[in-house]
């Protein structure tokens, strides 16, 4: 029998003995305070100040350290808010209750009542008058409770990671806070939060490979949403001038440190605005998030200091290639033969042979993106790779589109929306074909546009990558509660 299995047997035996004395897994203990509340209220008080404090507090949480010393025991109780030290004395609880500590192991969940005081070392502590075992941890915790060294276990058993790692728990608290702040930001600007379908009859809204499912009753094939874009635009057509959706979307593509097949983003649309408005709005959003999270003037991400105080840079798509790619200039950037040789010399795979615009995009993604460290809006993309964007009035070969890059990664994508149904229909047909990545023709969306779509601006921001940025996380798996994992067997 393995050591872990022996410990499980021992813990089950303790549960059996405990069950003879009282009902296991009771549900009649009521918590009235959290560890952090006590720390905030009493943490700065002196030992002498607390000597006459008689209020009784009830806390509940998991024990992650236990130190027995004869007739008294110290333990650390962890709840969602933080941790607090417990002091259990036989003189205070009585012999019978104190002996119940013999049935307690690391990881057990208990309820405890008592008064607050400070030890000789100044640590805020609950002097326990009574306690109850609420749930027995039948499996031993990982040996090093400060964190999991096995990344595989960390992602597969996130509950263990959250249980024993304050760092991981704080990452997800930041994520929760960020989503709340984003929602409040858009509500402040009179955007309405909406919900659109997650199962689509047509895979559309972005060029990506969808997940396919089947509805039995209707006997029809459906696709998990790639993006909510076309449905949100329908709402704009219907008269909702400002809308946003914090949505889960799905793309049947690879796994990497910045990609998960299931991901979260916010998409937002405003009638009678353009892409310049969006860039200003997004810059304001990021600065607002930065300030709300109490950050300093610089945000540290990996080896970079990110400046959110100064204005975000703006550069056109073609100028960025010329600036960051040696030997490419204004004359050669539109010469396919030259770019093809450039790609061969720089180990860049060409995704669509013979396509000038896709090759330009391949070069940008390989040799430009990683150099965009400070917040930078790259604007005016080729029309051929932007089938939903409005053309520039002075140059129909490029569109009123931008992507925001920070720390070498795309964080946001937005544009002035194409609202000409004839142009949109033609672009659906003309877009570059790729069996795995193509945007399907959506006839109902074209019909909706034919009723009249106002000038509109819309954008999407990747929530997961945003959380990575604000928590200095190197992998998207670190900011997803339950990232997709290949089965062990």
């Amino acid at each position: 029998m393995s050591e872990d299995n022996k410990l499980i047997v021992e813990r089950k035996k303790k549960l059996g003995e405990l069950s003879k004395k009282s009902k296991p897994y009771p549900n009649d203990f009521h918590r009235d305070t959290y560890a952090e509340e006590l720390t905030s209220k009493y943490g700065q008080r002196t030992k002498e100040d607390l000597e006459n404090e008689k209020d009784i507090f009830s806390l509940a949480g998991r024990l992650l350290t236990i130190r027995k010393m004869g007739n008294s025991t110290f333990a650390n109780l962890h709840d969602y808010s933080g941790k607090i030290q417990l002091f259990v004395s036989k003189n205070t609880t009585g012999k019978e209750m104190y002996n119940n500590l013999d049935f307690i192991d690391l990881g057990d969940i208990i309820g405890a009542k008592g008064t607050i005081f400070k030890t000789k070392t100044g640590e805020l502590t609950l002097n326990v008058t009574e306690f109850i075992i609420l749930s027995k941890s039948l499996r031993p915790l990982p040996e090093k409770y400060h964190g999991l060294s096995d990344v595989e276990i960390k992602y597969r058993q996130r509950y263990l990671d959250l249980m024993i790692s304050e760092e991981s728990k704080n990452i997800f608290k930041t994520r929760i806070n960020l989503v709340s702040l984003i929602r409040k930001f858009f509500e402040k600007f009179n955007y309405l939060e909406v919900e659109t379908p997650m199962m689509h009859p047509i895979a559309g809204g972005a060029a990506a490979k969808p997940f396919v499912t089947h509805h039995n009753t209707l006997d029809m094939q459906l696709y998990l949403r790639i993006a909510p874009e076309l449905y949100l635009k329908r709402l704009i057509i219907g008269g909702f001038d400002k809308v946003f959706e914090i949505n889960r979307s799905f793309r049947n593509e690879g796994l990497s440190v910045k990609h998960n097949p299931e991901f979260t983003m916010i998409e937002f649309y405003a009638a009678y605005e353009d892409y310049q408005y969006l860039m200003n709005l997004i810059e304001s959003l990021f600065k607002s998030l930065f300030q709300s999270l109490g950050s300093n003037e610089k945000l540290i991400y990996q080896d970079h200091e990110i400046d959110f105080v100064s204005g975000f840079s703006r550069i056109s798509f073609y100028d960025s290639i010329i600036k960051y790619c040696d030997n490419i200039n204004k004359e050669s950037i539109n010469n396919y033969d030259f770019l093809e040789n450039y790609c061969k010399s720089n180990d860049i795979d060409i995704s669509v042979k013979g396509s000038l615009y896709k090759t330009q995009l391949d070069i940008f993604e390989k040799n430009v993106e990683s150099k965009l460290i400070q917040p930078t809006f790259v604007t005016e993309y080729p029309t051929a790779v932007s089938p939903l964007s409005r053309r520039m009035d002075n140059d129909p070969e490029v569109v009123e589109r931008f992507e925001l890059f920070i720390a070498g990664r795309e964080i946001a994508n937005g544009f002035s929306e194409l609202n000409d149904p004839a142009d949109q229909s033609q672009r659906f047909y003309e877009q570059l074909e790729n069996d795995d990545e193509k945007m399907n023709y959506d006839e109902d969306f074209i019909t909706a546009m034919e009723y009249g779509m106002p000038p509109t601006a819309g954008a999407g921001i990747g929530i997961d990558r945003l959380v990575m940025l604000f928590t200095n996380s190197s992998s998207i798996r670190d900011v997803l509660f339950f990232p997709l994992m290949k089965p062990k067997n």
Side-chain angles (χ1 to χ4, degrees), residues 234-262:
R234 285 172 169 93
L235 295 181
I236 292 288
I237 293 168
F240 283 81
D241 283 354
K242 286 185 172 182
V243 294
F244 76 94
E245 182 174 9
I246 297 173
N247 63 91
R248 302 289 282 180
S249 290
F250 309 84
R251 298 182 184 180
N252 197 354
E253 299 170 345
L255 295 166
S256 73
V257 294
K258 56 183 180 179
H259 292 101
N260 192 68
E262 179 181 2

Side-chain angles (χ1 to χ4, degrees), residues 185-197:
F185 178 89
F186 282 96
E187 288 174 345
K188 183 178 71 174
F189 286 94
N190 299 317
Y191 281 78
L192 302 175
E193 184 170 12
V194 298
E195 294 176 308
T196 62

Side-chain angles (χ1 to χ4, degrees), residues 99-127:
N99 287 342
N100 283 343
L101 288 174
D102 294 337
F103 302 109
I104 287 181
D105 294 291
L106 291 181
D108 287 357
I109 296 172
I110 73 160
K113 294 183 179 181
T115 56
I116 208 76
F117 77 103
K118 279 194 171 180
T119 63
K120 292 180 180 179
T121 59
E123 184 168 358
L124 191 67
T125 304
L126 188 77
N127 185 19

Side-chain angles (χ1 to χ4, degrees), residues 67-74 87 98:
R67 304 179 300 282
K68 286 189 176 182
M69 297 176 292
N71 292 327
S72 62
T73 297
F74 284 94
F87 175 70
Y98 187 80

Side-chain angles (χ1 to χ4, degrees), residues 4-257:
D4 275 1
N5 285 338
K6 288 179 182 178
L7 292 173
I8 291 172
V9 170
E10 289 177 11
R11 290 184 177 216
K12 286 183 176 179
K13 184 177 179 182
K14 288 182 180 180
L15 178 61
E17 292 297 319
L18 187 64
S19 299
K20 296 175 183 178
K21 304 179 65 175
S22 61
K23 184 179 180 179
Y25 303 102
N27 195 29
D28 55 358
F29 180 86
H30 300 288
R31 170 173 58 189
D32 62 22
T33 191
Y34 286 87
E36 177 57 32
E37 292 174 350
L38 294 181
T39 302
S40 297
K41 186 174 181 179
Y42 298 105
Q44 302 304 314
R45 302 269 294 273
T46 66
K47 182 176 181 291
E48 290 72 25
D49 285 341
L50 298 178
E51 287 180 353
N52 296 320
E53 189 64 52
K54 302 301 182 185
D55 288 345
I56 301 291
F57 301 99
S58 298
L59 294 98
R62 194 180 297 274
L63 295 184
L64 293 185
T65 59
I66 303 173
R67 304 179 300 282
K68 286 189 176 182
M69 297 176 292
N71 292 327
S72 62
T73 297
F74 284 94
N76 281 343
L77 181 145
H78 291 241
D79 61 22
Y80 171 77
S81 70
K83 68 176 181 177
I84 192 165
Q85 181 170 261
L86 306 182
F87 175 70
V88 189
S89 169
K90 185 182 291 186
N91 293 333
T92 304
T93 63
K95 181 179 178 181
E96 183 177 356
M97 181 172 287
Y98 187 80
N99 287 342
N100 283 343
L101 288 174
D102 294 337
F103 302 109
I104 287 181
D105 294 291
L106 291 181
D108 287 357
I109 296 172
I110 73 160
K113 294 183 179 181
T115 56
I116 208 76
F117 77 103
K118 279 194 171 180
T119 63
K120 292 180 180 179
T121 59
E123 184 168 358
L124 191 67
T125 304
L126 188 77
N127 185 19
V128 177
T129 56
E130 58 180 291
F131 69 89
I132 183 172
I133 301 172
L134 299 173
S135 183
K136 188 82 184 133
S137 176
L138 299 178
R139 292 180 177 271
L141 299 181
E143 290 183 9
K144 296 181 179 180
Y145 94 75
H146 60 271
L148 289 172
S149 56
D150 189 329
V151 174
E152 181 84 0
I153 295 176
K154 177 178 179 179
Y155 297 146
R156 287 189 186 280
Q157 296 176 276
R158 179 67 79 187
Y159 48 89
L160 279 180
D161 179 41
L162 295 173
M163 191 186 301
I164 64 182
S165 171
E166 283 300 313
E167 181 182 358
S168 288
K169 189 179 289 184
N170 287 334
I171 285 174
F172 289 102
K173 285 182 179 180
T174 298
R175 180 186 180 111
I176 292 165
N177 191 22
L178 269 171
V179 172
S180 177
L181 290 169
I182 290 170
R183 178 175 280 112
K184 291 174 183 176
F185 178 89
F186 282 96
E187 288 174 345
K188 183 178 71 174
F189 286 94
N190 299 317
Y191 281 78
L192 302 175
E193 184 170 12
V194 298
E195 294 176 308
T196 62
M198 294 178 69
M199 293 192 297
H200 294 182
I202 296 173
K209 189 175 181 180
F211 286 94
V212 184
T213 186
H214 186 269
H215 191 285
N216 292 332
T217 302
L218 296 177
D219 190 23
M220 65 182 292
Q221 184 168 277
L222 293 169
Y223 305 89
L224 292 184
R225 151 171 85 193
I226 295 173
E229 179 165 345
L230 300 187
Y231 282 95
L232 291 171
K233 288 180 183 177
R234 285 172 169 93
L235 295 181
I236 292 288
I237 293 168
F240 283 81
D241 283 354
K242 286 185 172 182
V243 294
F244 76 94
E245 182 174 9
I246 297 173
N247 63 91
R248 302 289 282 180
S249 290
F250 309 84
R251 298 182 184 180
N252 197 354
E253 299 170 345
L255 295 166
S256 73
V257 294

Side-chain angles (χ1 to χ4, degrees), residues 263-315:
F263 60 96
T264 305
M265 62 176 171
I266 177 173
E267 285 205 12
F268 48 98
Y269 293 81
Y272 311 106
E273 301 289 358
D274 64 7
Y275 78 120
Q276 299 284 353
Y277 158 85
L278 290 176
M279 287 189 281
N280 294 333
L281 184 71
I282 290 173
E283 183 169 344
S284 296
L285 169 64
F286 274 69
K287 289 182 177 180
S288 174
L289 295 175
F290 181 69
Q291 292 169 0
S292 297
L293 292 173
S295 304
N296 297 319
E297 287 194 359
K298 303 285 185 180
L299 183 144
I300 304 299
Y301 183 74
Q302 305 301 293
D303 297 327
H304 306 298
E305 283 190 358
I306 309 299
D307 180 6
F308 279 121
V309 177
S310 304
F312 288 20
S313 300
R314 301 186 185 190
I315 186 171

